[in-house]
Amino acid sequence: MRNREWKRMNETFKVMEERSSVRLYQKDKEIPTETLHKIFEMAGKAPSAWNLQHWRFIVVTSQEQKEKLFPIAYNQKHVLDASAVVVVLGDTEADKVAAEVFEKAPEEARNTLLKNINSAYSQGRAMGEREALRNASLGAMQLMLAAKAVGIDSCPMTGFDHTAIVPALGIPERFIPVMMITLGYADGPAKPTERFDVNRIVMHEKFEEK
């Protein structure tokens, strides 16, 4: 492997290694608009089933709106202290964007893809919700890695009132809240966590009890 490839790989691994869930943030420190824009641009490059890009992101930066989210997030203080709070939504009707996504595809391929997508989503709301959760989670993880790459810390949160947040932010029925992510500048090191050894989590060829 060439030196340039090693360097790029090591930089990527470094970001993944250093990303951790941060709950203590420097208060009143804003993230530059162009930095936020880049983070979401990179988040949007995450993989998704049929490239339907099931994620949508509501970015909350005003203190007034963060205070509105505070009780919905069960009074978790980092919601108030973070520079931004991102509400990750999943599109349960992502099939509706399929024609747009494949507009430039060759006609035969386009027709086949649209047929397959329409067939899958005809199974009903439950199927749409499963795909929304799976694929929006990929976008959320990529968002946190992109944030760390530009020096912004984060914390994913599923502990919030998923029902109350819908009217609070005017979320349409088509979209479901998947998680919240706080973004900001760490005010001290994150609390270390224990991780299983790789041999504990990897199995070969079939499931093995470990």
Side-chain angles (χ1 to χ4, degrees):
M1 189 177 292
R2 291 174 293 183
N3 288 338
R4 185 170 62 181
E5 292 171 336
W6 270 112
K7 182 180 179 182
R8 183 170 58 206
M9 183 179 71
N10 289 336
E11 288 173 350
T12 302
F13 286 173
K14 187 173 185 288
V15 168
M16 297 170 74
E17 183 74 30
E18 292 181 352
R19 187 222 58 82
S20 57
S21 296
V22 169
R23 294 176 176 81
L24 295 175
Y25 295 99
Q26 299 176 39
K27 298 178 184 178
D28 304 319
K29 187 170 182 179
E30 296 182 2
I31 300 173
T33 301
E34 59 272 20
T35 301
L36 275 175
H37 180 85
K38 191 64 179 177
I39 289 171
F40 288 109
E41 183 183 4
M42 293 299 103
K45 294 184 181 295
S48 61
W50 287 301
N51 194 32
L52 295 180
Q53 302 158 70
H54 305 65
W55 45 77
R56 300 293 185 274
F57 306 106
I58 300 176
V59 190
V60 174
T61 56
S62 72
Q63 200 61 31
E64 178 183 2
Q65 198 73 333
K66 283 188 280 184
E67 288 173 2
K68 192 174 182 179
L69 289 176
F70 182 55
I72 292 173
Y74 306 129
N75 302 326
Q76 296 181 73
K77 193 171 181 293
H78 52 299
V79 168
L80 294 177
D81 296 341
S83 303
V85 180
V86 179
V87 180
V88 182
L89 305 178
D91 187 357
T92 68
E93 300 174 14
D95 55 309
K96 290 183 176 179
V97 303
E100 179 184 357
V101 169
F102 296 107
E103 183 179 7
K104 297 179 181 179
E107 184 177 1
E108 184 177 353
R110 180 176 184 271
N111 290 338
T112 299
L113 287 163
L114 294 181
K115 180 181 178 181
N116 291 342
I117 292 167
N118 291 334
S119 175
Y121 276 83
S122 69
Q123 297 176 44
R125 172 84 179 186
M127 186 276 181
E129 288 187 357
R130 287 196 302 271
E131 289 302 298
L133 288 168
R134 291 168 178 165
N135 292 282
S137 294
L138 293 172
M141 187 69 249
Q142 185 127 321
L143 185 153
M144 289 184 283
L145 291 174
K148 189 61 184 178
V150 293
I152 307 296
D153 288 293
S154 63
C155 181
M157 303 169 59
T158 56
F160 62 92
D161 189 330
H162 288 237
T163 301
I165 202 171
V166 171
L169 298 183
I171 300 170
E173 185 179 359
R174 170 175 167 174
F175 298 93
I176 56 174
V178 175
M179 70 180 73
M180 294 168 62
I181 300 174
T182 52
L183 296 175
Y185 300 89
D187 188 17
K191 183 180 178 180
T193 57
E194 295 295 329
R195 298 298 172 124
F196 291 130
D197 180 83
V198 66
N199 292 319
R200 171 79 180 275
I201 62 175
V202 177
M203 293 163 276
H204 297 279
E205 312 303 340
K206 64 179 182 177
F207 187 87
E208 304 170 42
E209 193 69 53
K210 295 188 178 184

